[in-house]
Amino acid sequence: MIFHDVVVVGGGLAGMMAAVEAASGGADVALLSKVHPLRSHSGAAQGGINAALANNPDSADDTPERHAYDTIKGSDFLADQQAVITMTNDAPRVIYQMEHFGCPFSRMENGKIAQRPFGGAGYPRTCYGTDKTGLYLLHTLYEQTIRLNTHYYEEWMVLQVAIDDSGVCKGVIALNIADGTIEKIAANAVIFATGGSGRLYGNTTNAHISTALGLAIPYWSGLPLKDMEFIQFHPTGLFKSNILMTEGCRGEGGYLVNNQGERFMSRYVSEKIMELAPRDIVSRSIATEIEAGRGFEDSYVHLDLRHLGREKILERLPGIREICIDFVGIDPIDTPIPINPATHYTMGGVDCDADGITKAPGFFAAGECACVSVHGGNRLGGNSLLDTIVFGRRAGAAAAEYVRNIPKAGDEATLNKADRKLNDRVAGFSKSGGTENPYHIRAELQNIMTQKVGIFRTDKDLSEALASIKQLKERFKNIRPPDKTRVFNMDKVWIMELAGNVAVSEIVCAGALRRTESRGAHFRRDFNKRNDEQWLHHTLAAFTDSGPEFSTSPVDMSKYPPEERKY
């Protein structure tokens, strides 16, 4: 049995920031990641990270309070307001911390960190490093984890949380993907930072590693998931591949244009806002244009950067240009980019507070897999990277403090019990005689979610989707046995991830069916108005053998009363 004071699960920005802070607090820290940390999906974040630095001449009077208001309004008033204020107050400090760690932010002529406009923000407050901000931050924090002698378990995958009879987390059970062994890792604190769940859908900007298993594991262990019906659809995924075309394209002045040559956003928001409305509004507007026959090939619209000029594109959007050349054979300097909305971000996650603390002592959550909640019904662009750094840091500090006076000894009995529980679960789909192809189930699930639990939702579509997902759950019980190879058995890995995807898809769909209103990214065509009287609360989903059991919790409205959301 292995032991560490703190085990961090996930090697993206939230996980590495948590590891840095916990190690800085004196803890013995290990980090498990199913890919090398520098391949984590945080590296795909492009446009920037928000903070009210007031560096831009157009943002001279920006403040953390204004940032908080924009975030709360952008959330359609479902965000917990004190948590948002905590995030926006912490934002300038963590940006300067990243700068001091050596993050190569783009600069203004006066040497200050450059900031660009982003959707739903009243000021240009998005700090950036060209269009590779997430990658720069990822390398910056990786260097710090090496400096602090973080123990890495690369290409390891957690499969079970060990929680004792009193509800206290005592460690994890993990698969060493490289040799197929299952290991018990005892810890006095576990921080889950497993990222988003975009691969529930077939049309996602997310990497293949972004599955829902990181949510399903705590869910199966008795921790509730919060607000899972709120899935963000990014307005600008590259047509066919759905690779992210950063909001920075529009922040730098890019246009959205239909097949009539119109900048159509004036139909949906004020001409002052145009392409820089919040993402949920822009995505619905693009989808509406395509449905109305004003898209190209009835499938996409154009993101036009040509007027920005060669010099600006090469300086500020070089990664976007490279992606366009490599994947669609066009150069955005002289050709518009074909884009469509794509599944992008999971607003919901493991229910926790601003320090990552959950209902299970010793179990913390941070980043996209957590729900604090600072994003509510719709996340603003530039707030996801901020979320990872701020709450990764806070969870790491809280975990280091939590373990400070706990004896450094593993609870072998609890780890053994968790190992048996995992074996029982794995045995369920490893038995001989099953005939269902897991990849057919995965493809069907992604198609159901894309077609019926997307940007526009109805009772009919959601009811049909939920019934189909329940059928897939039953079919999964008859899945064919995984390949028996021990070394890098990705068939077994993917089947385990599929089990998590099926479970979490049911929560997303059932939660969307329950919520008979439209709020943020959750838009019901049959209930197309926000209903604060009935639905101004968080959704909590708890595991039962028959499916998710739903309850609610109040939204912190201590600062700003809800108002109509206009842009």
Side-chain angles (χ1 to χ4, degrees):
M1 184 174 67
I2 302 167
F3 176 82
H4 296 279
D5 289 337
V6 177
V7 168
V8 179
V9 183
L13 287 175
M16 285 204 282
M17 189 68 216
V20 167
E21 196 66 21
S24 299
D28 163 35
V29 179
L31 189 150
L32 279 76
S33 177
K34 66 183 177 184
V35 295
H36 187 280
L38 293 180
R39 292 184 58 218
S40 299
H41 190 57
S42 296
Q46 300 165 339
I49 177 170
N50 291 338
L53 304 184
N55 287 351
N56 193 298
D58 294 332
S59 62
D61 60 342
D62 195 12
T63 64
E65 185 173 348
R66 294 179 191 274
H67 182 187
Y69 173 75
D70 287 346
T71 297
I72 291 162
K73 181 181 177 183
S75 79
D76 222 347
F77 293 88
L78 196 69
D80 286 327
Q81 298 187 7
Q82 288 304 317
V84 173
I85 291 166
T86 294
M87 179 178 76
T88 60
N89 283 342
D90 281 1
R93 172 169 55 171
V94 300
I95 294 298
Y96 293 134
Q97 183 180 18
M98 295 304 106
E99 180 184 36
H100 294 163
F101 281 165
C103 184
F105 289 111
S106 295
R107 300 282 169 171
M108 300 169 60
E109 288 187 5
N110 62 10
K112 292 184 176 181
I113 294 172
Q115 295 184 280
R116 58 169 48 124
F118 252 44
Y123 297 88
R125 66 168 67 96
T126 305
C127 311
Y128 63 93
T130 64
D131 55 356
K132 301 176 183 179
T133 314
L135 185 65
Y136 292 175
L137 288 167
L138 200 64
H139 279 260
T140 299
L141 283 177
Y142 183 66
E143 291 172 356
Q144 296 302 311
T145 64
I146 298 302
R147 176 179 67 85
L148 290 163
N149 296 315
T150 302
H151 190 113
Y152 272 103
Y153 294 90
E154 295 169 7
E155 296 180 323
W156 286 54
M157 179 172 157
V158 169
L159 301 176
Q160 182 74 39
V161 177
I163 295 179
D164 70 14
D165 293 338
S166 61
V168 178
C169 182
K170 297 294 186 178
V172 297
I173 311 298
L175 168 69
N176 181 344
I177 299 172
D179 66 13
T181 58
I182 301 287
E183 298 285 353
K184 303 165 195 168
I185 305 178
N188 287 331
V190 171
I191 304 173
F192 256 48
T194 55
S197 306
R199 287 286 159 178
L200 297 179
Y201 288 77
N203 62 334
T204 181
T205 63
N206 286 194
H208 287 281
I209 57 175
S210 297
T211 72
L213 185 60
L215 290 178
I217 290 169
Y219 169 66
W220 289 327
S221 300
L223 288 132
L225 303 185
K226 182 162 68 177
D227 291 341
M228 288 301 299
E229 62 267 39
F230 293 99
I231 302 291
Q232 181 166 90
F233 302 91
H234 197 286
T236 53
L238 191 61
F239 179 53
K240 291 188 178 179
S241 68
N242 296 301
I243 297 171
L244 178 65
M245 297 286 102
T246 174
E247 193 161 321
C249 293
R250 288 172 285 130
E252 295 296 347
Y255 298 154
L256 292 172
V257 180
N258 64 18
N259 65 12
Q260 308 296 308
E262 302 170 311
R263 286 182 65 194
F264 56 82
M265 284 306 300
S266 59
R267 267 197 274 275
Y268 307 97
V269 293
S270 69
E271 292 194 3
K272 178 183 176 183
I273 299 296
M274 292 296 283
E275 286 85 0
L276 290 178
R279 289 177 177 175
D280 60 320
I281 294 173
V282 180
S283 289
R284 285 195 294 272
S285 302
I286 293 171
T288 299
E289 290 292 303
I290 293 169
E291 284 187 354
R294 294 189 290 271
F296 297 90
E297 301 176 28
D298 294 325
S299 300
Y300 61 89
V301 297
H302 278 155
L303 173 60
D304 195 347
L305 308 182
R306 292 175 296 177
H307 58 286
L308 301 183
R310 180 182 183 86
E311 183 178 346
K312 190 171 186 178
I313 291 172
L314 291 178
E315 177 191 347
R316 301 192 186 180
L317 300 167
I320 291 300
R321 179 173 183 258
E322 184 178 345
I323 290 168
C324 288
I325 291 170
D326 289 348
F327 286 89
V328 287
I330 64 167
D331 188 337
I333 290 172
D334 50 44
T335 306
I337 305 169
I339 58 90
N340 49 227
T343 310
H344 184 60
Y345 190 84
T346 312
M347 263 81 73
V350 178
D351 184 26
C352 66
D353 70 7
D355 292 319
I357 296 170
T358 69
K359 66 176 283 188
F363 186 93
F364 300 79
E368 192 172 347
C369 76
C371 187
V372 176
S373 155
V374 289
H375 306 305
N378 173 69
R379 176 177 67 76
L380 291 188
N383 274 351
S384 63
L385 291 182
L386 180 61
D387 174 339
T388 63
I389 303 290
V390 166
F391 295 113
R393 174 183 159 274
R394 295 179 71 92
E401 182 60 31
Y402 174 82
V403 305
R404 192 175 306 281
N405 297 314
I406 301 177
K408 297 177 182 291
D411 183 344
E412 191 164 3
T414 297
L415 270 291
N416 287 338
K417 182 179 177 181
D419 190 37
R420 290 193 296 271
K421 190 173 181 179
L422 172 62
N423 287 335
D424 290 343
R425 179 153 52 88
V426 172
F429 60 77
S430 295
K431 63 181 185 230
S432 59
T435 57
E436 287 284 354
N437 186 318
Y439 304 109
H440 292 170
I441 292 176
R442 184 175 67 183
E444 289 179 43
L445 178 65
Q446 290 179 334
N447 184 62
I448 290 163
M449 295 297 289
T450 302
Q451 297 300 321
K452 296 185 181 294
V453 197
I455 293 175
F456 297 118
R457 301 169 173 180
T458 65
D459 184 281
K460 180 177 181 294
D461 281 347
L462 293 170
S463 296
E464 290 175 354
L466 186 58
S468 297
I469 292 168
K470 288 180 177 179
Q471 290 175 2
L472 293 181
K473 277 179 67 177
E474 290 303 309
R475 286 171 54 191
F476 187 84
K477 295 175 182 177
N478 189 41
I479 206 161
R480 59 106 170 122
D483 185 86
K484 297 188 184 301
T485 304
R486 290 183 65 85
V487 175
F488 284 101
N489 185 346
M490 299 310 295
D491 185 53
K492 190 172 187 178
V493 167
W494 292 330
I495 288 174
M496 291 174 175
E497 290 182 326
L498 178 58
N501 282 2
V502 172
V504 174
S505 291
E506 183 179 21
I507 302 169
V508 173
C509 188
L513 185 59
R514 288 179 74 254
R515 188 174 280 272
T516 51
E517 67 157 356
S518 290
R519 184 185 300 270
H522 169 68
F523 190 88
R524 290 281 298 263
R525 278 185 156 144
D526 43 356
F527 297 96
N528 60 8
K529 301 293 182 185
R530 196 177 81 194
N531 183 345
D532 289 342
E533 184 177 345
Q534 185 177 357
W535 289 108
L536 186 54
H537 56 239
H538 297 299
T539 301
L540 295 175
F543 174 75
T544 73
D545 289 336
S546 59
E549 182 175 274
F550 289 98
S551 60
T552 63
S553 65
V555 178
D556 169 21
M557 304 294 298
S558 55
K559 181 71 173 176
Y560 301 105
E563 62 187 60
E564 186 179 357
R565 191 163 165 255
K566 292 181 178 179
Y567 291 95

